[in-house]
Each structure stands twice: as structure tokens, then as C-alpha cells.
Amino acid sequence: MILEFARWLDGTEFSVWLRFARFGIQSLQTIHILALAALLGAAMLLDLRLLGVVKSGDTAAHLARRFLPLHWIGLAVLLPSGLLLIAAEPGQLIFNTVLRAKLALVVAAALLTLWTGRALRADMRLADLPRGRRSLLAALGGASLLLWLAIGTMGRFIAYIG
Amino acid sequence: MIEDALLALQNLPVSWAIVDNLWIFPALESAHVIAAALVMGAIAMLDLRLLWAASRNRPVSVLSAEILPVVWAAFAVAVLTGALMFMSAATHYAVNGPFLAKMVLLALAGVNMAAFHRLTSRRARERDTGSTAWEARLAGALSLLLWTGVIVTGRWIAFG
């Protein structure tokens, strides 16, 4: 069924237009990378604080307000640009195992970000939080960092692996 | 003479290793894109502050101290991976339009950062509080534009 959908999408004028529009795919990829930049920058800065690598005097709630919106804005641009990139070459991409793995990781990373948002609901500094919560946040931060780095890497590898 | 130098780079053992082994170039490229994205993302936060658009309650100096270490580390990775990729096909990249444009933009971004640094170290108090001077806004805006240009031209290298 997915195969039929991919074949149908491949033949639509929209898909062909995306593929052959002057600078179509390059522009989408560039937008995709810039959105990834915004997300990675925020994720790196937040996760280093959650992991305790960088000291932070901010309250947990303030950290959430400062960094999480950029995660969601980034995702809000990454998802449509990513979908359009798939729509441009659906025949090749829908069965690409690297892409599928990457999408699974994106879902996981988004869920972790939601969890982190909830765990950061406290008007206390990170250092003052109870130990259990601090450990949870450190684990979430570490996992998030690894996931986003892996996702970014796999994104590049999609082009190299069928 | 330049061409000899480029050919010499291309013929180094490490360059051949990159060409011969199927996974090294993709790995370098992936690390490069991630590092570049990190540089851009982190610098953008600082630039937005300079443009008075974000993190207004933080002094610029504090924000810089928090962000610049990340920027430098990521930049180091980007330069290292970029240099290795360049070496693997030096003669090809040296005449690649987008690549040359990217190098020019990188140089300009560097000059912009250095100029801003020199300018503001003389006005520490002014840049820390309240609205920032027009030079700071200009530096912030230029930085955002230049680094975006670096990423855009970077993507074009493969297509040009």
C-alpha cells in the first residue's frame, strides 16, 4: 500500500515540479539545515546545562522558557520541509531505511523534549532541585543531545544509503 | 604554483584514504553539517541579543561567555572536517564557485566578529545594559546574514 502511494506521489505534477524546479531541492535542504541549526543550538545550550557541564544560575522554569520554544519552532520548520523533500523523491525515499530510522528517532526526540518540558516545571535553580529530578533532567539532556546529533548525521547519510 | 600545491594536498596519504574508503567522506560531511549547524544556532542566539530581539535581560558579556565556547568547539570541528574534505579533491573545490563564495563569506564573518570584539571591548559598560549601540546591531545583523550565506553556499557546493 505504501509502495502504491509512493508510486502515485512520484508521478504527480507536484512531485515532478519539486524535483525539477530550479533550486527546488537545494532550497528545501537549505531551509531544513537552517531549522536544524536553530534546534541544535538551543538543544546544545540547554542539554549542556541539564548535564551540569555548564553551570546555570537560572531557574528550571526559566531555562524551559529560554530554550524549548526554539526546539518547537525548529521542528515546525523541519517537518514540512522534510515532508516536501520526501515528496520530491518519494519512490526513492519511502523505502530508505536510514530515513525511516531517522523519523523514528525524531519521534523519540520530540517525546523526550515534551518530557523535559514537564520536568523543568519548577521555580528552583537546577542545583536546588531534588536529586531524583536532577538525575532525570541530566538523563533527558544527555539522551536528547545524542538523539539530535544522530538524527542530524543520519539526515546526511540518507543521500548515501539506499 | 597554486595548482602544484593543490595537487600535492590531493596526493597526501590521508586524502587518498578519504577517496578510497566509501564511508569516510559521508562521515566527514555529516560531522561538518552538524558542527556548522551548531555554530550557526549558537551564534544566532548571540546575534539576536545584539539586535535586541532576544535574551534582553542578560548582559551581552554573560551571554557571550556562555555561548562562545560552544561556538569555538563546533567551529574547530567544522574547520577540521572541512579541511579534510577539501584536501580529498583540492583541485576540484578550488574552482567550485559556491565553495569560493563560501570561503569569502566565512572570511567576512570572521572579520565582522573580530571588528565587533575590538569595538565593544572599549565600551564594555554600554553594551552590557540597555539597548545596544548601532554598531552592535549592525554586527549582529551582518553576522546572521553572513553565517546564513555560509550555510546556503555550503549546500550549493554539491550542486555547483
Side-chain angles (χ1 to χ4, degrees):
Chain A
M1 206 186 78
I2 295 187
L3 179 57
E4 280 151 27
F5 176 68
R7 282 206 187 116
W8 169 79
L9 191 54
D10 224 353
T12 59
E13 262 188 53
F14 180 59
S15 177
V16 172
W17 174 76
L18 275 174
R19 228 174 298 152
F20 293 106
R22 204 171 152 79
F23 307 134
I25 295 186
Q26 292 98 300
S27 304
L28 280 173
Q29 286 180 339
T30 304
I31 292 172
H32 202 72
I33 292 177
L34 287 171
L36 178 67
L39 189 150
L40 269 183
M44 176 65 74
L45 292 168
L46 173 61
D47 295 339
L48 287 180
R49 277 157 181 74
L50 294 178
L51 286 166
V53 173
V54 172
K55 297 284 167 274
S56 173
D58 288 329
T59 61
H62 189 71
L63 282 177
R65 268 201 310 275
R66 229 181 121 192
F67 294 114
L68 289 182
L70 275 171
H71 285 66
W72 300 119
I73 293 174
L75 276 172
V77 177
L78 285 166
L79 282 173
S81 55
L83 285 172
L84 285 173
L85 281 167
I86 295 176
E89 298 170 305
Q92 290 172 292
L93 291 176
I94 287 201
F95 294 106
N96 187 303
T97 43
V98 177
L99 175 59
R100 289 179 166 196
K102 177 184 163 183
L103 292 178
L105 290 188
V106 168
V107 171
L111 289 172
L112 280 186
T113 306
L114 274 173
W115 194 356
T116 305
R118 301 190 64 180
L120 280 171
R121 277 194 205 147
D123 281 323
M124 290 185 278
R125 297 185 330 172
L126 285 182
D128 299 330
L129 287 170
R131 232 173 124 232
R133 185 92 84 101
R134 254 197 357 254
S135 307
L136 170 65
L137 284 170
L140 286 172
S144 153
L145 204 53
L146 284 173
L147 273 177
W148 291 120
L149 291 176
I151 288 169
T153 308
M154 291 171 98
R156 225 7 355 243
F157 265 86
I158 289 173
Y160 293 103
I161 305 183
Chain B
M1 205 187 81
I2 294 188
E3 193 163 338
D4 291 335
L6 292 173
L7 278 169
L9 274 178
Q10 231 171 263
N11 283 314
L12 286 172
V14 62
S15 305
W16 279 110
I18 296 172
V19 167
D20 288 339
N21 188 307
L22 272 173
W23 300 119
I24 297 189
F25 192 90
L28 285 173
E29 200 190 352
S30 303
H32 190 77
V33 172
I34 303 275
L38 271 172
V39 170
M40 174 85 206
I43 284 187
M45 288 194 80
L46 192 52
D47 291 339
L48 288 174
R49 169 60 180 85
L50 290 175
L51 285 168
W52 201 229
S55 300
R56 297 181 187 199
N57 55 324
R58 292 183 121 63
V60 172
S61 51
V62 170
L63 203 59
S64 283
E66 290 179 329
I67 290 178
L68 286 179
V70 174
V71 172
W72 280 120
F75 188 68
V77 173
V79 168
L80 184 62
T81 49
L84 286 170
M85 284 193 289
F86 176 79
M87 280 164 57
S88 71
T91 51
H92 163 76
Y93 289 117
V95 297
N96 181 293
F99 176 78
L100 294 169
K102 181 179 171 183
M103 291 301 109
V104 169
L105 289 171
L106 257 180
L108 287 174
V111 166
N112 182 52
M113 283 183 101
F116 171 67
H117 198 73
R118 241 186 113 211
L119 202 70
T120 54
S121 54
R122 285 190 253 156
R123 301 169 167 220
R125 226 171 352 135
E126 208 175 304
R127 78 184 153 105
D128 266 359
T129 58
S131 64
T132 47
W134 68 268
E135 295 99 333
R137 288 177 198 251
L138 182 62
L142 273 178
S143 173
L144 271 177
L145 278 170
L146 288 170
W147 284 108
T148 304
V150 167
I151 292 199
V152 170
T153 47
R155 195 78 288 276
W156 249 250
I157 291 173
F159 296 97

